[in-house]
Amino acid sequence: MAGDLLSRRAWTRADLAARLRRRGAPADVASEVVDDLVARGYVDDAAFARHWVTARAARGYGAARLRMELRARGIAVPVIAAALIALGGDDALARARETARRRLPALRRGRPDRVAPRLRDHLLRRGFATSVVVRVVRETTGVAADE
């Protein structure tokens, strides 16, 4: 059963154990199977986290959102921190600008006075730091993010 699941996509330790339990495996058996797969190198939370961060950051998500998603998948905090180091601060600003550039046409179809607040909210939901969001909103709309 675990081999079938692993043949389709990568799993975290916690996700795989939970899925095995949902499919009827007793908790102790699921734990033993996952431990064996980790020992053999078939399940690697660090590799999963690095891949997740790379893929999701490319889609316009910031560090806070990625941290939350990985934590929800049962990844340990030190592993998350190591995966997020690859993002870097300058990249966050560039990713936020790109995300704003893609979102702006849809926002401009609405009320002009709501463009800056909606862009701010969108970037914050995407997980970008407040300082980055304020800078990008000001650069993109010419309006302070809190106005």
Side-chain angles (χ1 to χ4, degrees), residues 113-125:
D113 62 324
R114 296 294 301 148
V115 171
R118 287 185 177 179
L119 180 60
R120 179 200 61 216
D121 294 346
H122 178 72
L123 293 173
L124 288 172
R125 279 191 309 272

Side-chain angles (χ1 to χ4, degrees), residues 3 7 12 19 29 32-33 40 47 49 52 54 61 67 78 88 92 96 100 103 121-122 126 134 147:
S7 70
T12 65
R19 177 59 67 94
V29 172
E32 287 178 27
V33 168
R40 292 173 187 247
W52 186 268
T54 302
Y61 290 97
R67 186 177 296 111
R103 184 69 178 142
D121 294 346
H122 178 72
R126 285 286 180 139
V134 167
E147 290 180 11

